[in-house]
Amino acid sequence: MRIPATLVRGGTSKCWLFDGQDVPASRDQIEALLIDTFNAADPRQIDGVGGATSTTSKAAVVSAASDDDVDVDYLFAQVGIGDGRVEWGSNCGNCATAIALYAVSHGFVCATPGTTLVRMRNLNTGTRLEADVSTPDGKLPAFGEAQVPGTLATGVPVTLAFLDPAGGSTGSALPTRHAREELSVDGRNYLVTMIDAGAPMVLVAAASLGLTGTESLAELSEFVPVLTEIRSAASVRMGLRSAGSPVDHAVPKVAIVGPARDFVTTGGQHISGSAYDVSIRTLSMHAPHPAIGLTSAVGIATAAITAGTVVNAALAGGAIQTPPDAATHLRIGTAAGIIATVATVDPFGRPARIGLERAARVISESIIFTRATATVRASA
């Protein structure tokens, strides 16, 4: 079978994007298709289009939205690596950045001079997003000069915003009703915040792990097993799964949180503790994330404006007080460098909009050959 697909780099991820008209209608059939085309069961994904890392084993199915206030719907897939399954329980902001470019290049949205607004809805979580894509002279550039921490590549500038991001998966920004609590794992207690904004997250106070939050990726790798156990326990505590049921490795997202202090990025850049607000190191499935996932950045920005969280405790100036409609800037120190977020809240103090500056590039328009037995639609 021949399946049209587009490879787009969004931020620090690569995402294979499929038009909804070119793939099977059911999620089970789409999963079978992705497992085959990515060669998901092979840890190296050597016989497929997967990149064998969590940031390059991603896909999304994009369709025109039926609602007047949304342009495109998309279903995000985190494809297994050495695991013949797909996880559907999360969203990906970097892939949303890629989808914004794809929506313009594939005619879901008509380009306008200057910037083009793309309104998106993530079908996994119900999260709605807006992207302003740079389209000089009403055309989408093939290349751009914008750059984000975590890659030396440049791309087309995209401003991405998550709208009303809290509670998409659990119905509440604080699904356990506690801003901060102790989570018991294998007889040891860890100070955590469990939050649902952008995606479900468990934020672990670095000190309770004996860490600072500014560790290198190599240093953090030693803590992947315990952080994986914390994720497993948090998923039950947050109501994402029942005890004894299969564990998802994409959600909840896991981050360790510490106060800002001097550190050296993976690229060798010296960062002063005075240049940012909070130290964050995150996992991406089974490994340290080289930078930070955008949904994780949204969760951390939300925690920063939520009183009592471990992020509040790590901020040098204490909890951020954000008046309605005012913008609150948070600078997150990651292993790759500083990621900036801008948050506004509604009159009830809930996050209304969290924005980030990104970059994206269309890499390839392709035809993928698949052995999957799922019946595809005639247009494929």
Side-chain angles (χ1 to χ4, degrees), residues 238-319:
M238 297 173 75
L240 297 172
R241 70 179 183 93
S242 58
S245 62
V247 177
D248 281 345
H249 300 291
V251 290
K253 310 296 183 185
V254 183
I256 64 171
V257 182
R261 54 185 289 171
D262 296 357
F263 73 98
V264 178
T265 70
T266 50
Q269 180 184 6
H270 290 264
I271 302 291
S272 168
S274 63
Y276 67 104
D277 303 306
V278 64
S279 295
I280 300 291
R281 297 294 184 268
T282 62
L283 286 193
S284 181
M285 298 184 76
H286 302 291
H289 197 293
I292 189 171
L294 294 199
T295 52
S296 295
V298 169
I300 291 156
T302 301
I305 58 175
T306 303
T309 67
V310 296
V311 176
N312 288 165
L315 293 172

Side-chain angles (χ1 to χ4, degrees), residues 66-305:
S66 57
D67 296 350
D68 291 338
D69 57 349
V70 180
D71 298 310
V72 294
D73 289 326
Y74 70 94
L75 181 67
F76 170 68
Q78 182 72 60
V79 183
I81 303 168
D83 184 6
R85 68 187 184 116
V86 173
E87 293 190 20
W88 300 101
S90 64
N91 186 15
C92 175
N94 279 315
C95 279
T97 305
I99 290 162
L101 227 63
Y102 176 87
V104 178
S105 67
H106 282 244
F108 289 95
V109 178
C110 294
T112 57
T115 60
T116 298
L117 173 66
V118 181
R119 302 166 302 171
M120 299 174 282
R121 177 170 47 207
N122 171 244
L123 297 179
N124 309 71
T125 64
T127 299
R128 293 177 60 167
L129 307 94
E130 291 182 350
D132 288 307
V133 180
S134 178
T135 48
D137 303 318
K139 296 180 180 179
L140 182 68
F143 300 93
E145 299 303 319
Q147 188 177 10
V148 296
T151 174
L152 298 177
T154 59
V156 177
V158 179
T159 300
L160 186 70
F162 288 72
L163 309 181
D164 300 319
S169 296
T170 66
S172 173
L174 297 173
T176 70
R177 300 185 179 181
H178 297 284
R180 184 169 51 189
E181 61 190 280
E182 289 191 340
L183 184 68
S184 180
V185 180
D186 293 334
R188 181 172 175 180
N189 291 334
Y190 300 93
L191 187 62
V192 305
T193 291
M194 287 171 273
I195 198 161
D196 178 10
M201 287 194 76
V202 54
L203 304 168
V204 188
S208 68
L209 288 157
L211 301 175
T212 66
T214 58
E215 281 70 23
S216 68
L217 298 182
E219 291 169 328
L220 187 60
S221 293
E222 299 179 13
F223 289 83
V224 168
V226 66
L227 292 173
T228 300
E229 291 300 317
I230 289 172
R231 171 194 284 143
S232 177
S235 66
V236 176
R237 179 81 177 99
M238 297 173 75
L240 297 172
R241 70 179 183 93
S242 58
S245 62
V247 177
D248 281 345
H249 300 291
V251 290
K253 310 296 183 185
V254 183
I256 64 171
V257 182
R261 54 185 289 171
D262 296 357
F263 73 98
V264 178
T265 70
T266 50
Q269 180 184 6
H270 290 264
I271 302 291
S272 168
S274 63
Y276 67 104
D277 303 306
V278 64
S279 295
I280 300 291
R281 297 294 184 268
T282 62
L283 286 193
S284 181
M285 298 184 76
H286 302 291
H289 197 293
I292 189 171
L294 294 199
T295 52
S296 295
V298 169
I300 291 156
T302 301
I305 58 175

